[in-house]
Short mmCIF file of all heavy atoms in Angstrom, two decimals:
data_model
loop_
_atom_site.label_atom_id
_atom_site.label_comp_id
_atom_site.label_asym_id
_atom_site.label_seq_id
_atom_site.Cartn_x
_atom_site.Cartn_y
_atom_site.Cartn_z
N ASN A 1 63.96 37.00 130.48
CA ASN A 1 63.30 35.92 131.14
C ASN A 1 63.25 34.63 130.33
O ASN A 1 63.38 33.49 130.96
CB ASN A 1 61.88 36.19 131.51
CG ASN A 1 61.86 37.28 132.63
OD1 ASN A 1 62.88 37.65 133.20
ND2 ASN A 1 60.61 37.77 133.02
N GLY A 2 63.03 34.77 129.00
CA GLY A 2 62.93 33.49 128.23
C GLY A 2 64.02 33.38 127.17
O GLY A 2 64.00 32.55 126.33
N LEU A 3 65.14 34.28 127.32
CA LEU A 3 66.16 34.29 126.22
C LEU A 3 67.53 34.22 126.81
O LEU A 3 67.79 34.70 127.98
CB LEU A 3 65.92 35.50 125.41
CG LEU A 3 64.55 35.67 124.72
CD1 LEU A 3 64.53 37.12 124.05
CD2 LEU A 3 64.27 34.59 123.70
N ALA A 4 68.47 33.69 126.04
CA ALA A 4 69.87 33.73 126.48
C ALA A 4 70.70 33.89 125.16
O ALA A 4 70.29 33.62 124.01
CB ALA A 4 70.33 32.46 127.12
N TRP A 5 71.91 34.35 125.36
CA TRP A 5 72.80 34.56 124.20
C TRP A 5 73.31 33.17 123.65
O TRP A 5 73.73 32.32 124.37
CB TRP A 5 74.04 35.36 124.59
CG TRP A 5 73.70 36.80 124.69
CD1 TRP A 5 73.47 37.48 125.89
CD2 TRP A 5 73.77 37.74 123.67
NE1 TRP A 5 73.34 38.84 125.56
CE2 TRP A 5 73.47 39.00 124.27
CE3 TRP A 5 73.97 37.65 122.29
CZ2 TRP A 5 73.37 40.14 123.48
CZ3 TRP A 5 73.90 38.93 121.56
CH2 TRP A 5 73.62 40.13 122.12
N VAL A 6 73.31 33.07 122.26
CA VAL A 6 73.81 31.93 121.59
C VAL A 6 74.75 32.39 120.52
O VAL A 6 74.77 33.53 120.10
CB VAL A 6 72.65 31.02 120.97
CG1 VAL A 6 71.79 30.45 122.05
CG2 VAL A 6 71.76 31.93 120.01
N GLN A 7 75.59 31.47 119.99
CA GLN A 7 76.46 31.80 118.83
C GLN A 7 76.42 30.64 117.80
O GLN A 7 76.53 29.52 118.24
CB GLN A 7 77.85 31.98 119.33
CG GLN A 7 78.83 32.47 118.22
CD GLN A 7 79.95 33.22 118.77
OE1 GLN A 7 80.14 33.38 119.92
NE2 GLN A 7 80.77 33.87 117.88
N ASN A 8 76.29 31.13 116.59
CA ASN A 8 76.31 30.15 115.44
C ASN A 8 77.74 29.81 115.06
O ASN A 8 78.47 30.80 114.61
CB ASN A 8 75.48 30.75 114.28
CG ASN A 8 75.25 29.73 113.18
OD1 ASN A 8 76.01 28.75 113.09
ND2 ASN A 8 74.35 30.03 112.38
N PHE A 9 78.17 28.67 115.26
CA PHE A 9 79.60 28.40 114.85
C PHE A 9 79.79 28.13 113.38
O PHE A 9 80.78 27.69 112.93
CB PHE A 9 80.05 27.12 115.76
CG PHE A 9 80.68 27.59 117.07
CD1 PHE A 9 79.85 28.39 117.91
CD2 PHE A 9 81.96 27.25 117.40
CE1 PHE A 9 80.51 28.79 119.06
CE2 PHE A 9 82.51 27.71 118.55
CZ PHE A 9 81.80 28.45 119.54
N LEU A 10 78.73 28.37 112.53
CA LEU A 10 78.88 28.26 111.08
C LEU A 10 79.31 29.55 110.62
O LEU A 10 80.28 29.64 109.71
CB LEU A 10 77.47 27.89 110.47
CG LEU A 10 77.50 27.81 108.96
CD1 LEU A 10 78.47 26.77 108.39
CD2 LEU A 10 76.11 27.68 108.46
N ASN A 11 78.75 30.68 111.07
CA ASN A 11 79.22 31.95 110.56
C ASN A 11 79.53 32.94 111.71
O ASN A 11 79.86 34.13 111.40
CB ASN A 11 77.97 32.64 109.78
CG ASN A 11 76.69 32.56 110.61
OD1 ASN A 11 76.66 32.61 111.78
ND2 ASN A 11 75.53 32.40 109.85
N GLY A 12 79.52 32.60 112.96
CA GLY A 12 79.97 33.48 114.01
C GLY A 12 78.88 34.42 114.59
O GLY A 12 79.19 35.24 115.57
N TYR A 13 77.67 34.47 114.09
CA TYR A 13 76.67 35.38 114.55
C TYR A 13 76.34 35.05 115.93
O TYR A 13 76.01 33.97 116.36
CB TYR A 13 75.35 35.23 113.70
CG TYR A 13 75.50 35.75 112.23
CD1 TYR A 13 74.60 35.40 111.29
CD2 TYR A 13 76.43 36.65 111.97
CE1 TYR A 13 74.69 35.91 109.99
CE2 TYR A 13 76.57 37.18 110.63
CZ TYR A 13 75.70 36.82 109.63
OH TYR A 13 75.81 37.17 108.38
N GLN A 14 76.19 36.16 116.75
CA GLN A 14 75.78 36.03 118.20
C GLN A 14 74.47 36.61 118.32
O GLN A 14 74.20 37.79 117.83
CB GLN A 14 76.79 36.73 119.14
CG GLN A 14 78.09 35.90 119.33
CD GLN A 14 78.96 36.45 120.43
OE1 GLN A 14 79.30 37.72 120.49
NE2 GLN A 14 79.21 35.66 121.42
N LEU A 15 73.48 35.94 118.87
CA LEU A 15 72.10 36.37 118.95
C LEU A 15 71.73 36.29 120.43
O LEU A 15 72.00 35.34 121.18
CB LEU A 15 71.14 35.50 118.13
CG LEU A 15 71.56 35.37 116.65
CD1 LEU A 15 70.68 34.30 116.06
CD2 LEU A 15 71.41 36.69 115.97
N GLY A 16 70.92 37.28 120.90
CA GLY A 16 70.37 37.35 122.27
C GLY A 16 69.02 36.74 122.18
O GLY A 16 68.27 36.76 123.25
N THR A 17 68.62 36.15 121.13
CA THR A 17 67.21 35.66 121.09
C THR A 17 67.12 34.15 121.18
O THR A 17 66.26 33.48 120.63
CB THR A 17 66.68 36.11 119.75
OG1 THR A 17 67.52 35.65 118.65
CG2 THR A 17 66.47 37.58 119.68
N GLY A 18 68.09 33.53 121.71
CA GLY A 18 68.06 32.06 122.00
C GLY A 18 66.97 31.66 122.96
O GLY A 18 66.96 32.11 124.14
N ASP A 19 66.03 30.95 122.47
CA ASP A 19 64.90 30.49 123.27
C ASP A 19 65.40 29.55 124.44
O ASP A 19 65.99 28.49 124.02
CB ASP A 19 63.82 29.85 122.42
CG ASP A 19 62.51 29.45 123.20
OD1 ASP A 19 62.65 29.25 124.41
OD2 ASP A 19 61.38 29.46 122.57
N LYS A 20 65.17 29.85 125.66
CA LYS A 20 65.67 29.01 126.73
C LYS A 20 65.21 27.58 126.62
O LYS A 20 65.86 26.65 127.14
CB LYS A 20 65.44 29.63 128.14
CG LYS A 20 66.16 30.87 128.51
CD LYS A 20 65.70 31.22 129.87
CE LYS A 20 66.54 32.45 130.33
NZ LYS A 20 66.11 32.86 131.71
N GLU A 21 64.07 27.33 126.00
CA GLU A 21 63.48 25.96 125.87
C GLU A 21 64.10 25.31 124.62
O GLU A 21 63.87 24.03 124.48
CB GLU A 21 62.01 26.09 125.79
CG GLU A 21 61.35 26.55 127.08
CD GLU A 21 59.79 26.50 126.96
OE1 GLU A 21 59.28 26.93 125.89
OE2 GLU A 21 59.12 26.03 127.82
N GLY A 22 64.80 26.06 123.80
CA GLY A 22 65.41 25.42 122.61
C GLY A 22 66.56 24.50 122.94
O GLY A 22 67.11 24.62 124.10
N THR A 23 66.96 23.72 121.99
CA THR A 23 68.18 22.79 122.25
C THR A 23 69.37 23.24 121.36
O THR A 23 69.24 23.41 120.12
CB THR A 23 67.79 21.40 121.97
OG1 THR A 23 67.33 21.32 120.59
CG2 THR A 23 66.70 20.86 122.82
N ASN A 24 70.39 23.64 122.11
CA ASN A 24 71.69 24.04 121.42
C ASN A 24 72.83 23.16 122.06
O ASN A 24 72.67 22.58 123.12
CB ASN A 24 71.92 25.39 121.56
CG ASN A 24 70.83 26.28 120.80
OD1 ASN A 24 70.59 26.04 119.65
ND2 ASN A 24 70.16 27.15 121.48
#
């Protein structure tokens, strides 16, 4: 409900804990 998948393009880590209100 409050999370979406994000990926760090510095090291490739994929996280399902991206806060939907955060800015990416």
Side-chain angles (χ1 to χ4, degrees):
N1 287 359
L3 304 172
W5 283 96
V6 294
Q7 185 155 7
N8 189 339
F9 272 57
L10 175 63
N11 51 30
Y13 289 159
Q14 287 191 301
L15 305 169
T17 55
D19 187 329
K20 287 182 178 180
E21 291 183 319
T23 55
N24 295 306

